[in-house]
Amino acid sequence: MGKPTGFMEYERAELAYQPASDRVVHYNEFVQPMSDAEIGIQGARCMDCGIPYCHQGCPVNNIIPDWNDLVYQQDWESAIEVLHSTNNFPEFTGRICPAPCETSCTLNIDDQPVAIKAIERAIADKAWEQGWVKPQVPTHRTGMRVAVVGSGPAGLACAQQLARAGHTVSLYEKEDRIGGLLRYGIPDFKMAKTMIDRRMSQMRAEGVEFHTHCHIGVDLPVATLMDDYDAVVLTGGSEKPRDLDVPGRSYNGIHFAMDFLRANSKRVQGVYVPDEDFISAHDKHVVVIGGGDTGSDCIGTSNRHGAKKITQIELLDKPPEKEDKGLTWPDWPHKLRTSTSQEEGCERLWNVLTKSFDADAEGNVTTLNYVLVRWDKDENGRWRMSEVEGSEDRIKADLVLLAMGFVHPVHEGMLEELREAKGLELDARGNVKGSTEGAKAYFTNVDGVFTAGDMRRGQSLVVWAIREGRQCARAVDEWLMGRSDLPR
């Protein structure tokens, strides 16, 4: 596993970034990669720990110690083969995954985990540079046709695996370009969209057909897909945003975060967006409601617009600076994290509950009114929120972005049609119902219809979507053919 004594000889090194003052003037990726030799040293830090918890920490179960060792030996081509055996798109996860594998690393007990994410990114980038990423065209065709609805990471992974099994696969996307939230929801400065485009070229060669501007359940009935295809896979994501039901919510200048991000990303990528559909943060007091990744993306984008001031508010308590390793390792800890976008400039406030908004005579938002809250456990051990008396205050706001997460998939259209015609079942949270284990893994209750990714599990990580897409592809292949050689 790398060099047996490497973890004692070499310090952990992390990827460097362009200075904030330089990177906020463009939308390009701003990571400054390490050299091959530097990455090799980081691979050498992977110790022979006996039980590699990183395997379980990684949702796709990447064989991390093996490719760490290969990078240490400078055998990059073998490293990408091992990496691709579990992950279709390591250049995606090497950029936007929060790296739960590093949390699970044995060396994280001393806050010095192996730089797994940086190594993964370097392997994937090296493979593309050297031309090692080639289409895996199937040697035979099964004659079976599969429709995959939704071209995010779950849909892409599922479609690629099914095409490699020899099926004819059609991938449907309602937007004008393939990628789902990878394309327009995640800013270009976090992941260049050429990453998606070159994977599309690979997948086309493998036999995947891409259909954009095709909103299933709106432009094309889902019944048509069920008639034309042997199997249908629902991977449409979780896109119903959580709203804020307070007085003044309807004022001008209060938007869902994804509307703000999507319009900006389209312009950055050269897609025409009318001025009336574009939301600008230029010279405005911006308030972002929500402390997660989407809120962070709003901060980074607002900084690049030239916002006057950015305030991010969070309902929950401020997390601790450092976790208690004895209680949390190797699990994902609850602790304070600061993103590169937050480092670029914003004020962060915790325990803030929005009460209402004020507006000017034209109906444009001017103020967010709030109260501080506290969280205490009741007699049953459940956390309860209460307002702090006398803590009412306000924040100047010309633009408010609601980044409070997503509650479930959009029901109108495709899912509504399936529920009415076929009795499609949803779970208690409003997601498409389907398990991940057993003989019926990734099946819905509708014959021939499967589901994976955020549409099944709810809002989650890209790496979980890839895992579910891959596993769902095996389930579909086995259902169609009676057996499957696809990895699970």
Side-chain angles (χ1 to χ4, degrees):
M1 307 298 178
K3 187 179 182 181
T5 57
F7 71 97
M8 295 186 291
E9 298 174 32
Y10 308 121
E11 294 292 325
R12 170 182 164 89
E14 300 186 36
L15 291 171
Y17 305 111
Q18 287 181 344
S21 58
D22 292 344
R23 65 185 190 240
V24 295
V25 298
H26 63 76
Y27 289 92
N28 302 321
E29 292 185 2
F30 48 79
V31 168
Q32 297 177 331
M34 300 182 201
S35 68
D36 291 358
E38 289 171 326
I39 288 292
I41 287 174
Q42 293 306 303
R45 297 187 66 248
C46 186
M47 63 189 297
D48 189 0
C49 59
I51 300 176
Y53 290 97
C54 57
H55 285 197
Q56 283 68 49
C58 172
V60 293
N61 304 124
N62 275 331
I63 311 171
I64 295 165
D66 290 39
W67 43 259
N68 281 341
D69 179 60
L70 289 165
V71 167
Y72 167 57
Q73 304 293 342
Q74 294 295 300
D75 187 356
W76 294 83
E77 191 166 4
S78 295
I80 190 61
E81 290 177 8
V82 175
L83 184 48
H84 270 152
S85 70
T86 56
N87 187 349
N88 295 62
F89 315 118
E91 66 274 26
F92 298 175
T93 51
R95 284 165 167 77
I96 56 178
C97 180
C101 53
E102 293 190 14
T103 294
S104 298
C105 178
T106 300
L107 292 176
N108 188 43
I109 294 174
D110 292 327
D111 292 318
Q112 292 293 313
V114 174
I116 301 170
K117 182 175 177 179
I119 297 170
E120 178 181 41
R121 175 181 177 137
I123 295 170
D125 289 352
K126 170 74 75 175
W128 282 105
E129 291 167 7
Q130 298 298 319
W132 297 330
V133 183
K134 294 181 172 63
Q136 297 180 27
V137 181
T139 57
H140 71 284
R141 294 292 179 183
T142 65
M144 296 292 183
R145 290 164 49 81
V146 183
V148 180
V149 183
S151 71
L156 288 170
C158 186
Q160 184 167 56
Q161 293 295 95
L162 287 169
R164 290 174 174 176
H167 305 303
T168 298
V169 182
S170 296
L171 188 57
Y172 289 89
E173 169 59 50
K174 67 178 183 292
E175 285 283 358
D176 60 322
R177 296 186 185 181
I178 294 294
L181 292 186
L182 284 173
R183 173 70 67 176
Y184 292 136
I186 294 175
D188 291 58
F189 56 80
K190 287 178 69 175
M191 190 185 89
K193 307 315 171 187
T194 52
M195 306 292 158
I196 305 172
D197 297 336
R198 62 191 185 188
R199 282 294 179 183
M200 287 176 61
S201 297
Q202 181 195 33
M203 292 172 67
R204 280 196 183 97
E206 293 168 343
V208 177
E209 300 174 354
F210 295 99
H211 302 272
T212 56
H213 285 299
C214 190
H215 194 172
I216 304 302
V218 177
D219 303 320
L220 182 69
V222 68
T224 301
L225 295 187
M226 297 180 68
D227 290 340
D228 293 347
Y229 293 89
D230 298 292
V232 176
V233 184
L234 309 181
T235 59
S238 178
E239 294 189 308
K240 187 71 171 180
R242 182 173 284 105
D243 209 340
L244 187 63
D245 185 18
V246 298
R249 164 65 181 89
S250 61
Y251 290 143
N252 301 326
I254 304 174
H255 305 273
F256 288 119
M258 204 50 63
D259 293 335
F260 171 70
L261 295 172
R262 186 182 294 111
N264 184 79
S265 291
K266 285 188 174 183
R267 280 201 174 178
V268 170
Q269 295 170 42
V271 179
Y272 173 70
V273 177
D275 288 345
E276 58 269 24
D277 294 333
F278 185 77
I279 304 166
S280 176
H282 178 68
D283 207 30
K284 293 180 179 177
H285 289 82
V286 179
V287 179
V288 178
I289 303 179
D293 289 339
T294 301
S296 180
D297 292 343
C298 289
I299 293 167
T301 301
S302 296
N303 275 316
R304 283 158 179 77
H305 282 193
K308 184 175 291 184
K309 182 180 180 182
I310 305 170
T311 305
Q312 183 180 34
I313 62 176
E314 168 61 61
L315 182 64
L316 301 176
D317 293 333
K318 183 178 180 179
E321 296 280 347
K322 181 173 169 34
E323 74 273 31
D324 183 339
K325 290 287 170 56
L327 294 176
T328 61
W329 182 87
D331 297 322
W332 183 256
H334 176 63
K335 69 174 184 178
L336 182 66
R337 294 176 172 87
T338 300
S339 70
T340 54
S341 291
Q342 290 163 338
E343 289 173 348
E344 290 165 2
C346 75
E347 181 180 8
R348 302 168 72 182
L349 304 176
W350 284 267
N351 300 106
V352 173
L353 174 66
T354 303
K355 298 294 287 185
S356 65
F357 297 101
D358 295 332
D360 61 19
E362 286 73 43
N364 301 309
V365 67
T366 59
T367 309
L368 179 150
N369 302 303
Y370 71 88
V371 65
L372 295 180
V373 298
R374 59 180 293 171
W375 294 88
D376 300 290
K377 287 186 177 180
D378 63 15
E379 62 276 8
N380 298 313
R382 290 175 295 199
W383 288 103
R384 298 293 185 185
M385 182 185 74
S386 60
E387 297 183 8
V388 177
E389 186 177 351
S391 65
E392 296 83 1
D393 208 340
R394 56 180 52 198
I395 304 171
K396 181 173 175 57
D398 307 310
L399 174 63
V400 178
L401 301 172
L402 307 180
M404 303 175 294
F406 303 87
V407 291
H408 51 63
V410 173
H411 292 165
E412 295 78 11
M414 179 179 70
L415 299 186
E416 196 173 68
E417 179 187 342
L418 277 171
R419 292 182 71 186
E420 293 176 357
K422 300 290 184 179
L424 177 73
E425 293 180 358
L426 305 179
D427 66 18
R429 297 182 298 155
N431 303 314
V432 179
K433 190 174 182 179
S435 66
T436 60
E437 303 297 332
K440 293 291 185 179
Y442 298 99
F443 285 57
T444 69
N445 67 305
V446 180
D447 191 46
V449 179
F450 299 77
T451 186
D454 289 5
M455 182 162 270
R456 189 208 67 82
R457 69 179 289 116
Q459 179 187 358
S460 190
L461 304 175
V462 166
V463 68
W464 274 107
I466 294 173
R467 171 198 174 100
E468 293 212 355
R470 286 171 59 90
Q471 293 189 346
C472 182
R474 180 183 169 91
V476 173
D477 186 39
E478 197 167 21
W479 182 75
L480 290 172
M481 308 304 294
R483 59 180 297 277
S484 179
D485 293 326
L486 290 175
R488 193 175 191 279

